[in-house]
Amino acid sequence: MGAPEVEAEASDGEGTGWADAITGLSEAQPAASFCAGGAGETEGDPRSGVGSEEEEGLERGNAFLLGELHKVGEVLVEVGSTSSSTHGWGPNAIESEEELESCIERLRSVALERGKADISVLRRRTITEDSGAKRKLHLADVEVRRRAGNPLEVRIAVVGNVDSGKSTMVGVLTRSMLDDGRGSARQKILKFSHEAQTGRTSSIGQHNLCISSTGEILNDSTFRQTQCGEVVARSSKLITMVDLAGHEKYFKTTAFGLTGNLPDYAMLIIGANHGLIGMCKEHLGIALALKIPSFFVITKIDICPEHIFNNTMKSLHAVLKKPGVRKIPIMVRTQDDVMTCARNIASDTIAPIFLTSSVTGEGLDLLRQFMNLIPQRYEWFGKMSLDPEFIIDETFAVPGVGTVVAGTVKSGVIGVNSTLLLGPDIADSSFKPIAIKSIHYKRMVVDKVVAGQTAALALKRVKRNQVRKGMALVASSFQPEASWEFDADIAILTHSTTIHLKYQAVIHCEIIRQAAKVVAMDCEKLRSGDRAIVRFRFLVRPEYVCRGTRFVFREGKTKGIGLVV
């Protein structure tokens, strides 16, 4: 395999970064298939076939609505829609405001009585029909969301360069307050004293934005993460914001957060006065490599001179238009833009850009509306019927409780007193049966957790030194085994020389973070832009690796992406 030329745009004088390498790939290179965003599939109109029998059409619309509420917990419908590609409900052409109001009331009663859900009317609009009649038609976009009980959870990884304002933005959103320009908002959410002193995040923090069934933000200035159970219990939707470190020194922690926390989306924070510098491109590159849809928040627009702001926007648009990225930038300035972006963000073909200030509050309302509307990216409902699998990303020893592990339920349902296999064991790499003593979900005691939720599980008769990050809890039907070696289809994004056998790199594969070396590959050597099937061997301990998992690997300035085969 030849070595295609990779556009090596200097990343602040430090060589080629993740994003530069990905954006340098051309469509002709096979490695580009790893990074190209796939267009989302648009579901058909639930009212297809609506004609003279209007009631039958409405029942079909109701069946679609109730099905989505049961599976996901929320659905965005268009009352009076004239298009067949949207989630329409009700008659096709509504010619009066009174008829529109009547349809909305009917939808409200159907949602409440049959779906135990509330509706919120997001916008009403009037359009002129293209046909010869030139009728004026009335439409309304309505969010239907199940009432509190089992909240829908959407995870957003907050990434960006150091000092771009990530923790401040998370503090402003989750505490419903404005910053004073000197870090008052970030002080509310930082975990350690050294973070508070330097103002720089060095750990992974998870913070909840709680939203009611009618779209109201339940967080206020008295909200505390340690006592959020009561607010979560009243929520219908949770936005879990995973606050990650921006400093280059903590890059491995940020990579672990992006791979191990299974985020639905990445929110890339860019300081308007600094632009796309430092680790900003690196974080964007990992999000592209893992195919995590991203949106961009430009902060500090209140203190940024106009010419610097224009340069920042120009460089962002240039990156988004490059071959390996190919995203359509959309400046979000109105509620219509919010609706368009929320409907299409999961397709990973657009890049919404928000202009905000944490001090003046400019642009924050549009960002909150967007977070209220964005859907879950993963199809968790289908995974609930599978056997349980839980990946561990944190371990604790809680006085009076014992060993507690925190992580994400990847599939199935886990209940109190369930027996699962814990492994790979630190001593002999086996999987040993253990029982679940109790379960906490967002500081609430619960009987069970389902696929897609993050939880803390207390384990019976397990010592703290027997568990570590990177282990998993799985059902016995999986017949799990720890692997020293695995085969992967990899693409080299950037490397200064050539890669041969015995090459070593750090693998970031979901919760796994360990050095591995290449013990076999299907070609003699690899250079930047090449793709190959290679066999990695872990250097420290065997791990539980699943087929089909995407991962990134790095070593110095060398970066690559891969898929476990």
Side-chain angles (χ1 to χ4, degrees):
M1 192 183 291
E5 287 182 12
V6 173
E7 205 177 335
E9 188 181 285
S11 174
D12 310 306
E14 296 177 2
T16 310
W18 290 91
D20 290 313
I22 285 183
T23 55
L25 292 169
S26 70
E27 292 188 49
Q29 294 170 23
S33 65
F34 270 107
C35 317
E41 294 178 17
T42 309
E43 290 191 36
D45 187 353
R47 305 159 308 165
S48 54
V50 174
S52 56
E53 299 182 13
E54 195 173 289
E55 285 301 319
E56 189 184 325
L58 278 174
E59 274 309 308
R60 203 175 290 117
N62 289 341
F64 163 77
L65 179 80
L66 297 170
E68 287 293 297
L69 285 176
H70 175 62
K71 285 195 294 186
V72 187
E74 67 174 4
V75 58
L76 186 59
V77 297
E78 197 169 40
V79 177
S81 168
T82 56
S83 164
S84 62
S85 63
T86 54
H87 293 162
W89 189 92
N92 268 350
I94 298 177
E95 297 187 36
S96 68
E97 287 187 28
E98 292 76 17
E99 192 182 347
L100 178 66
E101 287 302 324
S102 169
C103 280
I104 290 172
E105 285 306 314
R106 186 164 179 178
L107 175 61
R108 192 189 307 275
S109 64
V110 168
L112 188 59
E113 291 165 18
R114 295 170 62 180
K116 292 183 173 56
D118 289 319
I119 72 165
S120 51
V121 181
L122 302 171
R123 64 172 176 175
R124 292 175 172 84
R125 52 205 170 95
T126 307
I127 60 169
T128 304
E129 199 176 30
D130 290 336
S131 63
K134 294 288 181 188
R135 295 181 299 171
K136 282 198 171 182
L137 303 179
H138 296 266
L139 297 90
D141 291 289
V142 181
E143 176 78 14
V144 186
R145 184 174 294 149
R146 202 168 49 207
R147 289 188 162 180
N150 188 16
L152 164 80
E153 186 180 351
V154 177
R155 279 188 289 281
I156 297 176
V158 184
V159 290
N161 194 47
V162 66
D163 299 335
S164 59
K166 298 182 295 300
S167 299
T168 298
M169 178 59 69
V170 173
V172 165
L173 290 172
T174 59
R175 298 296 189 276
S176 296
M177 61 180 286
L178 291 177
D179 189 47
D180 62 355
R182 292 180 176 81
S184 63
R186 71 176 177 226
Q187 296 295 337
K188 303 268 187 187
I189 65 161
L190 294 176
K191 289 163 77 171
F192 301 109
S193 56
H194 70 267
E195 293 181 336
Q197 287 163 10
T198 61
R200 288 180 177 173
T201 306
S202 63
S203 59
I204 298 173
Q206 294 196 15
H207 306 276
N208 300 315
L209 185 65
C210 305
I211 304 173
S212 72
S213 57
T214 54
E216 179 192 356
I217 304 286
L218 300 178
N219 300 47
D220 57 22
S221 56
T222 62
F223 183 83
R224 294 287 177 274
Q225 194 64 24
T226 51
Q227 298 149 353
C228 66
E230 184 190 332
V231 185
V232 170
R234 293 188 282 123
S235 308
S236 292
K237 184 173 186 175
L238 290 175
I239 305 293
T240 302
M241 305 177 79
V242 185
D243 186 23
L244 299 172
H247 199 281
E248 189 174 3
K249 186 165 69 172
Y250 308 117
F251 178 69
K252 64 178 183 180
T253 306
T254 303
F256 180 79
L258 279 166
T259 56
N261 283 280
L262 305 181
D264 292 279
Y265 305 99
M267 177 164 79
L268 202 82
I269 307 281
I270 301 170
N273 52 346
H274 291 143
L276 270 80
I277 59 166
M279 299 304 290
C280 188
K281 288 183 179 179
E282 306 285 301
H283 296 166
L284 172 60
I286 294 192
L288 288 168
L290 296 170
K291 287 194 175 175
I292 303 171
S294 305
F295 60 97
F296 300 82
V297 176
I298 313 291
T299 59
K300 307 182 186 181
I301 60 169
D302 55 320
I303 59 167
C304 182
E306 189 177 346
H307 67 285
I308 303 239
F309 172 75
N310 291 337
N311 285 341
T312 299
M313 297 308 299
K314 200 178 292 180
S315 60
L316 176 58
H317 279 71
V319 166
L320 292 173
K321 286 176 183 173
K322 287 192 176 182
V325 186
R326 294 199 313 277
K327 291 188 192 296
I328 304 161
I330 298 178
M331 297 292 289
V332 181
R333 298 185 188 276
T334 63
Q335 191 182 29
D336 291 356
D337 297 334
V338 172
M339 301 284 296
T340 303
C341 293
R343 276 203 170 104
N344 299 296
I345 181 71
S347 69
D348 203 16
T349 54
I350 62 168
I353 302 170
F354 295 85
L355 306 179
T356 66
S357 165
S358 297
V359 174
T360 64
E362 186 178 343
L364 293 180
D365 284 344
L366 292 174
L367 185 57
R368 288 190 182 101
Q369 286 176 25
F370 178 71
M371 289 188 171
N372 173 37
L373 295 177
I374 49 175
Q376 271 185 334
R377 181 166 66 101
Y378 292 101
E379 294 268 340
W380 292 117
F381 181 77
K383 295 183 179 181
M384 288 181 198
S385 57
L386 304 177
D387 291 323
E389 181 182 3
F390 181 87
I391 55 175
I392 298 169
D393 58 37
E394 205 71 65
T395 64
F396 309 96
V398 180
V401 178
T403 302
V404 173
V405 295
T408 309
V409 186
K410 279 187 74 181
S411 64
V413 178
I414 298 176
V416 176
N417 297 323
S418 299
T419 300
L420 299 170
L421 299 178
L422 173 68
D425 190 77
I426 292 171
D428 58 6
S429 304
S430 63
F431 282 76
K432 296 177 177 171
I434 58 100
I436 309 296
K437 190 194 297 182
S438 62
I439 302 174
H440 274 231
Y441 172 69
K442 304 290 182 188
R443 315 259 174 189
M444 291 190 301
V445 180
V446 293
D447 294 329
K448 65 178 183 180
V449 281
V450 300
Q453 293 185 330
T454 48
L457 312 179
L459 308 180
K460 285 183 183 174
R461 292 188 288 281
V462 176
K463 292 179 181 174
R464 168 74 191 278
N465 61 7
Q466 292 177 276
V467 292
R468 62 171 177 84
K469 287 182 187 179
M471 294 175 80
L473 285 163
V474 296
S476 55
S477 57
F478 278 83
Q479 297 180 333
E481 289 182 0
S483 308
W484 274 105
E485 297 180 351
F486 67 95
D487 293 338
D489 186 358
I490 67 164
I492 309 298
L493 295 178
T494 169
H495 184 55
S496 52
T497 57
T498 55
I499 290 175
H500 297 269
L501 289 179
K502 297 186 179 178
Y503 168 77
Q504 294 183 9
V506 177
I507 305 281
H508 292 273
C509 179
E510 285 188 352
I511 44 166
I512 298 166
R513 184 175 68 192
Q514 195 189 144
K517 70 176 177 181
V518 176
V519 292
M521 53 194 212
D522 65 355
C523 56
E524 201 174 310
K525 55 181 179 279
L526 290 168
R527 294 189 180 95
S528 290
D530 286 359
R531 183 171 169 181
I533 303 288
V534 303
R535 176 167 292 176
F536 283 105
R537 180 176 176 83
F538 290 116
L539 297 182
V540 182
R541 64 178 80 86
E543 301 278 10
Y544 176 60
V545 183
C546 298
R547 180 180 292 145
T549 310
R550 301 178 70 83
F551 66 92
V552 296
F553 59 92
R554 60 182 182 85
E555 177 265 324
K557 293 190 173 116
T558 301
K559 286 126 186 147
I561 52 182
L563 189 73
V564 178
V565 294

